[in-house]
Amino acid sequence: MTVAPALDPALLPTVPPMSVADVLDRQDGVYWVVKDANSVFLWVNQNFADLVGMDKSELIGHQDSRAEHVAHDKEVMASGKPLLNFHETIAVPSKDGGMVNVDIVTQKGLLRAPGSKDTIGITVCFSLKDPVT
């Protein structure tokens, strides 16, 4: 009988091994954000940082300044229900140095405390409505 080697739960059995964060950073056209109950960024993927023209370090630990997005976060946490296939916009830097609104399709879910149903934040996953090719 062959015994399978113990797997490191922090790594996926890809070749080469990758963490879940590595995978989320490398998804084409998918943007991921995790925020606490006050809409402070706890984690963002590289796609999101690139889209908004900031380094991850400039985002993580800072509150989301997009009032409309924060309002949606609060609504989801208050309702206890995810917000799925929600069409909204996000302002992003344009090539000319200004800002431009782009249409996105968003999924917002509840971040629960381990071993509990207590809501401690929100997860956000979105894509551009009209991806750039």
Side-chain angles (χ1 to χ4, degrees):
M1 172 166 68
T2 304
V3 177
L7 296 177
D8 180 345
L11 294 177
L12 300 171
T14 56
V15 178
M18 296 170 66
S19 69
V20 173
D22 292 331
V23 172
L24 296 177
D25 269 342
R26 289 167 176 77
Q27 283 187 309
D28 291 342
V30 180
Y31 305 85
W32 287 93
V33 173
V34 179
K35 301 182 212 175
D36 72 9
N38 295 310
S39 296
V40 172
F41 293 106
L42 301 174
W43 185 85
V44 301
N45 75 345
Q46 190 61 52
N47 288 348
F48 181 78
D50 292 343
L51 181 70
V52 299
M54 299 175 79
D55 289 332
K56 286 181 174 188
S57 63
E58 294 176 284
L59 293 161
I60 295 171
H62 296 91
Q63 187 173 40
D64 191 342
S65 62
R66 298 163 183 88
E68 188 174 337
H69 294 240
V70 171
H72 296 145
D73 295 348
K74 290 179 180 180
E75 288 173 20
V76 169
M77 288 184 282
S79 74
K81 297 179 183 176
L83 180 63
L84 304 174
N85 301 316
F86 184 66
H87 292 251
E88 60 183 336
T89 61
I90 185 170
V92 300
S94 63
K95 291 178 184 174
D96 66 5
M99 297 295 280
V100 61
N101 284 332
V102 294
D103 295 322
I104 61 175
V105 180
T106 303
Q107 320 300 319
K108 289 194 177 194
L110 298 161
L111 179 62
R112 306 257 186 209
S116 170
K117 293 204 180 250
D118 294 340
T119 300
I120 60 170
I122 193 156
T123 60
V124 182
C125 175
F126 69 89
S127 62
L128 301 179
K129 182 177 176 212
D130 298 310
V132 178
T133 54

